[in-house]
Amino acid sequence: MQDQELVALCRQGDVEKYALLVERYQRLVFGLALHLLRSKEEAEDVAQEAFLRVYKQISKQQDDLDFLPYIKRVTSNLCMDRLRRRRTENKYLEHNQEIEVPDYHTPEQEAVKHAERATLRQALQELPEMYREVLVMHYAGGMTYEKIAAALHQPMSIVKNRIYRGKKLLKDIYVKMEGGGPDEMRGYQTSVG
């Protein structure tokens, strides 16, 4: 049964049909939240809240609701809200207590890792949606190509192609953001090789 049919039945009060939508997309929603928040507990909370909010919205809305893009948007917005709150709390904590640094990691190493992760997240956000979606589903959500193809209603060849191109684009964007470009990379390869 297609998402639109399930949404229409939910609007008519058939709660069991919504359970099918939750089952169909729970890994994707959790994976997206986990990718953005980097916390299993918070990702579980966000996934649950996202499905609850979408369910409430289905009963209010009169027009058709495209479920997958809508649940992803709700999930992303909830994650962004939590990240903003987290930043605010961290600023408060930094001013009010000392942070202990583990002995095995220097502050410089932690700062570099944090900057690399932030740059990677930013590069991921700059990818076109069709590439970002499959990369998050596969790498953050742990979904197989087959499951991604089924969830997106796309042939396997399209999914494989998008993952391949998405990784290539992500690498190019990341390298450019880090200050490297094709000319710099050629010079590096020449001097090393």
Side-chain angles (χ1 to χ4, degrees), residues 20 47 54 61 74 79 139 152 185:
L20 292 174
V54 171
Q61 227 172 332
V74 169
C79 289
Y139 291 103
L152 297 178
M185 292 304 289

Side-chain angles (χ1 to χ4, degrees), residues 5-148:
E5 295 172 89
L6 293 172
V7 168
L9 291 170
C10 290
R11 191 172 288 125
Q12 296 169 8
D14 191 345
V15 179
E16 291 176 8
K17 298 305 183 216
Y18 193 71
L20 292 174
L21 287 168
V22 171
E23 187 177 310
R24 186 176 289 175
Y25 294 114
Q26 64 187 359
R27 276 186 63 122
L28 170 73
V29 170
F30 173 76
L32 175 61
L34 182 62
H35 174 74
L36 293 171
L37 297 171
R38 301 287 183 212
S39 163
K40 184 180 177 199
E41 294 78 20
E42 281 190 292
E44 288 171 348
D45 290 346
V46 163
Q48 186 174 5
E49 188 175 347
F51 281 112
L52 184 61
R53 283 194 183 187
V54 171
Y55 181 74
K56 289 178 181 176
Q57 192 62 34
I58 285 174
S59 60
K60 292 178 187 174
Q61 227 172 332
Q62 297 303 320
D63 56 343
D64 285 339
L65 181 125
D66 197 355
F67 188 81
L68 182 58
Y70 190 70
I71 190 78
K72 288 190 316 189
R73 187 170 63 243
V74 169
T75 304
S76 296
N77 289 341
L78 288 170
C79 289
M80 292 305 126
D81 289 346
R82 282 184 180 244
L83 290 172
R84 277 190 286 276
R85 268 195 311 261
R86 197 188 288 172
R87 276 195 297 268
T88 303
E89 290 168 1
N90 286 343
K91 283 181 186 177
Y92 175 78
L93 289 175
E94 285 174 8
H95 292 292
N96 292 310
Q97 76 184 77
E98 286 189 36
I99 299 172
E100 289 186 35
V101 178
D103 293 336
Y104 56 91
H105 285 70
T106 66
E108 293 82 11
Q109 289 170 324
E110 288 297 320
V112 167
K113 283 182 185 178
H114 179 73
E116 287 172 348
R117 285 191 298 265
T119 303
L120 184 59
R121 281 193 295 275
Q122 186 179 354
L124 190 62
Q125 290 304 313
E126 290 191 21
L127 278 178
E129 174 69 21
M130 67 180 180
Y131 298 125
R132 182 173 57 243
E133 179 178 56
V134 294
L135 289 176
V136 168
M137 290 171 86
H138 183 62
Y139 291 103
M143 294 177 72
T144 64
Y145 288 9
E146 292 83 6
K147 288 184 179 180
I148 295 170

Side-chain angles (χ1 to χ4, degrees), residues 142-168:
M143 294 177 72
T144 64
Y145 288 9
E146 292 83 6
K147 288 184 179 180
I148 295 170
L152 297 178
H153 309 292
Q154 293 288 338
M156 179 76 74
S157 59
I158 297 287
V159 171
K160 287 181 179 180
N161 186 296
R162 285 183 184 173
I163 288 176
Y164 173 78
R165 288 177 186 245
K167 288 192 312 190
K168 187 173 179 349

